[in-house]
Amino acid sequence: MKLLEEMIRKYGEIKNDEVLLVDSFLNHQIDPQLMMELGKDFVRHFKNKKITKILTIETSGIAPALMCGYLLNVPVVYLKKSKSKILNEELYETTVHSFTKDIDYLITCRKSFLSSDDSILFIDDFMANGEACLGAIDIIKQAHAQLAGIGIVIEKAFQQGNAKVSQAGYEVYSQARISSLEKNEIQFIDESAVPRTFCGIDR
Amino acid sequence: MKLLEEMIRKYGEIKNDEVLLVDSFLNHQIDPQLMMELGKDFVRHFKNKKITKILTIETSGIAPALMCGYLLNVPVVYLKKSKSKILNEELYETTVHSFTKDIDYLITCRKSFLSSDDSILFIDDFMANGEACLGAIDIIKQAHAQLAGIGIVIEKAFQQGNAKVSQAGYEVYSQARISSLEKNEIQFIDESAVPRTFCGIDR
């Protein structure tokens, strides 16, 4: 997505070969107009999937997920990184490993918010090693819901997330795919040079 | 705000005399259309305040703040509840006490996202004891920014938050004000019976 790539080039800060900071427009300060454009792009991509619910993980997936949910007129559920004391027995839960922080954390979802009738679009701000996404998939499975699509804002394509999730049988649509942050330079995968997985739909 | 009160009556779950669960439309599952209506209501209320930035706190303030920021065409900044290892020396920070969880937690903001030129609207999902709001005010002061308004989705008016923040010299606009959760019943403050602080603007 050109607009997003421009924003990343202009405002992204490379911290090292693996860490890109985009906290000036995505995950600390948020550009709401950009979030709406990301939402529209996800809608264009997934419009035929009969989505009934958007699923994301707190915190930084919420903004693009909310705009997408607004445009599709469906609820947005965010998986929580804490365990409610009040809802103890009513939760789906799974453990996610964060390679960045080298910790395991729990993600939880109130059972009543996901059902076997749901066709779910999972949206997140980043995909790196894919652990968060696999955690969400686990929760979707526990709920016997259908995973209709995975939408990622920024994919660090030099890490293993997309491969892992694809091996698990799911397709990932990423709005920007970064192939390298080496030599203090942001390289994107040239999507026009890659065979399109989704025919006839603009990336 | 009538629509919000209806949603609270319909979907709110009273857990005890102090705890109201609204996680089916506000802070776990989110109703995006409602968030847009909340955003519009905040805009109606604060439209003359020349807002340059919305400030909120992760996680559940983000959705209404984002819609308000979208409508006002200004950035949204959310205060983080963790301390970035990368941005160590570039952060404003303050400590907030949570009476609900009986813990202190740090909230932080990257310094470059708030400036003395900013006229800030602080938005949050709940006001109970006002500690989160006072923490945000502290950070706004550290940045020498101007606090132009405080917008709260649900105020637990039987707790001390509004009084504390008012005593500190700030006015709070709450979209729904709950006067009691006792006897398993949600009571709202009848705004039509209360003198309006902001003349001529619909609450």
Side-chain angles (χ1 to χ4, degrees):
Chain A
M1 193 187 164
K2 283 287 164 222
L3 172 66
L4 178 61
E5 290 185 6
E6 283 166 22
M7 291 291 285
I8 295 169
R9 278 191 205 285
K10 199 166 173 184
Y11 299 110
E13 299 166 50
I14 299 171
K15 290 296 166 183
N16 59 47
D17 285 359
E18 296 198 345
V19 175
L20 174 73
L21 213 60
V22 287
D23 66 357
S24 63
F25 62 87
L26 183 59
N27 48 22
H28 185 2
Q29 181 167 248
I30 308 172
D31 179 335
Q33 313 302 321
L34 176 67
M35 294 306 111
M36 185 59 92
E37 294 307 311
L38 300 183
K40 286 179 190 170
D41 184 70
F42 282 134
V43 169
R44 267 194 297 272
H45 194 85
F46 294 107
K47 63 187 169 192
N48 297 324
K49 297 280 184 177
K50 296 182 180 161
I51 306 297
T52 62
K53 203 159 270 187
I54 313 282
L55 189 69
T56 185
I57 302 186
E58 64 176 338
T59 301
S60 33
I62 293 174
L66 182 70
M67 291 312 198
C68 190
Y70 176 74
L71 294 167
L72 288 173
N73 197 18
V74 299
V76 174
V77 175
Y78 60 88
L79 299 171
K80 294 198 163 196
K81 288 182 181 167
S82 59
K83 194 169 176 172
S84 166
K85 286 174 189 166
I86 302 166
L87 300 171
N88 221 353
E89 291 165 26
E90 301 171 42
L91 298 176
Y92 298 119
E93 57 182 74
T94 195
T95 303
V96 172
H97 182 71
S98 164
F99 283 93
T100 319
K101 297 178 181 166
D102 195 24
I103 52 163
D104 287 336
Y105 60 94
L106 204 64
I107 54 173
T108 68
C109 185
R110 192 171 181 181
K111 287 185 178 176
S112 59
F113 297 154
L114 297 176
S115 90
S116 57
D117 294 331
D118 276 320
S119 176
I120 290 173
L121 172 57
F122 175 71
I123 286 180
D124 210 357
D125 60 331
F126 266 98
M127 175 172 275
N129 287 291
E131 297 298 314
C133 184
L134 292 170
I137 291 171
D138 184 34
I139 282 185
I140 291 166
K141 279 185 182 167
Q142 290 179 45
H144 302 289
Q146 191 206 334
L147 178 56
I150 298 168
I152 301 294
V153 179
I154 301 175
E155 179 189 328
K156 293 198 275 185
F158 54 87
Q159 291 180 322
Q160 298 309 310
N162 198 328
K164 277 193 223 169
V165 174
S166 299
Q167 274 162 27
Y170 304 96
E171 198 167 38
V172 178
Y173 168 61
S174 306
Q175 295 178 316
R177 302 184 71 199
I178 293 171
S179 56
S180 168
L181 295 170
E182 289 175 13
K183 295 176 187 165
N184 208 31
E185 203 175 308
I186 304 171
Q187 301 282 355
F188 293 97
I189 290 176
D190 180 1
E191 300 293 343
S192 62
V194 175
R196 288 188 183 177
T197 320
F198 300 89
C199 298
I201 296 173
D202 283 343
R203 300 193 81 160
Chain B
M1 193 186 164
K2 283 286 163 224
L3 172 65
L4 177 61
E5 290 184 7
E6 282 165 21
M7 291 290 286
I8 295 169
R9 280 192 205 284
K10 197 164 175 185
Y11 300 110
E13 300 165 51
I14 299 172
K15 290 296 166 184
N16 59 47
D17 285 358
E18 296 198 345
V19 175
L20 174 73
L21 213 60
V22 288
D23 66 358
S24 63
F25 62 89
L26 184 59
N27 47 23
H28 185 2
Q29 181 167 249
I30 308 172
D31 179 333
Q33 313 301 322
L34 176 67
M35 294 306 112
M36 185 59 91
E37 294 308 312
L38 300 183
K40 286 178 190 170
D41 184 69
F42 282 135
V43 169
R44 268 193 296 274
H45 194 86
F46 293 108
K47 64 187 169 192
N48 297 323
K49 296 282 185 178
K50 296 181 180 162
I51 306 297
T52 63
K53 202 159 273 187
I54 313 282
L55 189 67
T56 185
I57 302 185
E58 64 175 338
T59 302
S60 34
I62 293 174
L66 182 70
M67 291 313 198
C68 190
Y70 176 73
L71 294 167
L72 289 172
N73 197 18
V74 299
V76 174
V77 175
Y78 61 88
L79 299 170
K80 295 198 162 195
K81 287 182 180 167
S82 60
K83 194 169 175 173
S84 166
K85 287 175 188 165
I86 302 167
L87 301 171
N88 221 353
E89 291 164 27
E90 301 171 43
L91 298 176
Y92 297 119
E93 57 182 73
T94 195
T95 303
V96 171
H97 182 71
S98 164
F99 284 93
T100 320
K101 297 179 182 167
D102 195 25
I103 51 162
D104 287 337
Y105 60 94
L106 204 64
I107 53 173
T108 68
C109 184
R110 191 170 181 181
K111 287 185 177 176
S112 58
F113 297 154
L114 297 176
S115 90
S116 57
D117 295 331
D118 277 321
S119 177
I120 290 172
L121 172 56
F122 175 71
I123 286 180
D124 210 357
D125 60 332
F126 265 98
M127 175 172 276
N129 287 292
E131 298 297 314
C133 184
L134 291 170
I137 290 171
D138 184 34
I139 282 185
I140 291 166
K141 279 185 183 167
Q142 291 179 45
H144 302 288
Q146 193 206 332
L147 178 56
I150 298 168
I152 301 294
V153 180
I154 302 174
E155 179 189 327
K156 293 198 275 185
F158 55 87
Q159 292 180 322
Q160 298 309 310
N162 198 329
K164 278 194 224 167
V165 173
S166 299
Q167 275 162 27
Y170 304 96
E171 198 167 36
V172 178
Y173 168 62
S174 306
Q175 294 178 317
R177 302 185 71 199
I178 293 170
S179 57
S180 169
L181 296 170
E182 289 175 13
K183 296 176 186 165
N184 208 32
E185 203 174 308
I186 304 171
Q187 301 282 355
F188 293 98
I189 291 177
D190 181 2
E191 300 294 342
S192 63
V194 175
R196 287 188 182 177
T197 321
F198 300 89
C199 299
I201 297 172
D202 282 343
R203 300 193 81 160

